[in-house]
Amino acid sequence: MFDNINKPKGLKRVYLATLNSLRAFNWLVKNEAAFRQELLLLVLVIPITFLLDITIKEQLILIISTLFILFTEVLNTAIESVVDRVGLEIHPLSGLAKDLGSAAVFISLVIAVCTWVAILL
């Protein structure tokens, strides 16, 4: 049971939060195909940025725009998990929540593509 009164503080809180994040990352890699695909994209584009004739600032912008895709995928998966936790029956609001999460991922992909095009052209 969660103890809301005696929550960890200081470095212990940071350590436990890091463990939780690593557990979530591990779960995503094992269970979410979209996350694995986007992670592969990130692993591929990082070395490519070192081969381009661009500034360090532009390189960082390209990498961050790709990381943003992963960020939105994590939020989308969180939304889907909460909706599924509440109930697996089909409901318009459940579908809307999942569609909105998917739209967020789509927008992040558009942002990344626009960023890459703007810097490379």
Side-chain angles (χ1 to χ4, degrees), residues 17-117:
T18 300
L19 290 180
N20 291 338
S21 297
L22 291 173
R23 185 174 61 246
F25 187 80
N26 187 41
W27 186 91
L28 284 162
V29 170
K30 287 182 181 177
N31 296 290
E32 285 295 318
F35 184 82
R36 284 192 303 273
Q37 293 165 348
E38 293 153 356
L39 185 61
L40 177 62
L41 175 66
L42 180 67
V43 168
L44 293 174
V45 301
I46 287 175
I48 290 172
T49 64
F50 287 97
L51 302 174
L52 300 171
D53 186 26
I54 57 177
T55 66
I56 292 174
K57 186 177 182 181
E58 290 170 326
Q59 182 183 18
L60 187 59
I61 290 169
L62 292 178
I63 292 169
I64 289 171
S65 71
T66 308
L67 272 171
F68 188 63
I69 298 168
L70 285 175
F71 172 77
T72 54
E73 186 64 50
V74 170
L75 293 180
N76 181 43
T77 302
I79 290 167
E80 290 176 349
S81 296
V82 169
V83 168
D84 291 346
R85 166 67 173 89
V86 170
L88 295 176
E89 70 278 354
I90 295 176
H91 188 281
L93 290 176
S94 297
L96 177 61
K98 289 184 174 193
D99 291 347
L100 291 170
S102 179
V105 174
F106 178 76
I107 290 168
S108 71
L109 286 163
V110 170
I111 289 169
V113 168
C114 289
T115 303
W116 277 77
V117 168

